[in-house]
Amino acid sequence: KGPAKQLAMLQGDKGPAKQLAMRILCRTAALERADALVEISQAHIDGCTYIGPGGLAFAERLASLGARVAVPTTLNANSVDRRRWRGPGG
């Protein structure tokens, strides 16, 4: 189940957003000399604070590819505009 599912994502069988995410995970795993990936049931996205045009371009690229979280996910609360949190999408 796990490796076959991961390979399908890496080959693009599950769409371009999952393929990009899997390419990043595989590269990171190789840099860290990880033996395998593990299944998860939840995640936390760290580093979601605006850090400049490069970070925004990456987020926009993922969105344009149709990226969606696949497990329950939290973000850093300091990325929220506390005065206008009920604005667009709120």
Side-chain angles (χ1 to χ4, degrees):
K1 174 187 169 187
K5 182 178 172 184
Q6 295 166 359
L7 184 58
M9 286 188 275
L10 186 60
Q11 291 174 337
D13 297 346
K14 303 294 182 180
K18 287 185 180 183
Q19 182 179 33
L20 175 59
M22 187 56 72
R23 288 179 62 204
I24 292 168
L25 285 172
C26 288
R27 181 65 180 135
T28 302
L31 290 170
E32 294 295 328
R33 296 187 174 107
D35 294 327
L37 299 178
V38 297
E39 292 284 330
I40 61 167
S41 60
Q42 60 189 11
H44 177 78
I45 300 174
D46 196 19
C48 58
T49 304
Y50 177 75
I51 56 170
L56 180 59
F58 177 67
E60 288 175 336
R61 180 168 180 209
L62 284 173
S64 74
L65 294 173
R68 297 287 182 267
V69 297
V71 295
T73 305
T74 58
L75 304 170
N76 294 344
N78 64 350
S79 299
V80 175
D81 185 332
R82 293 180 185 204
R83 289 173 284 153
R84 295 182 283 170
W85 66 276
R86 290 191 188 263

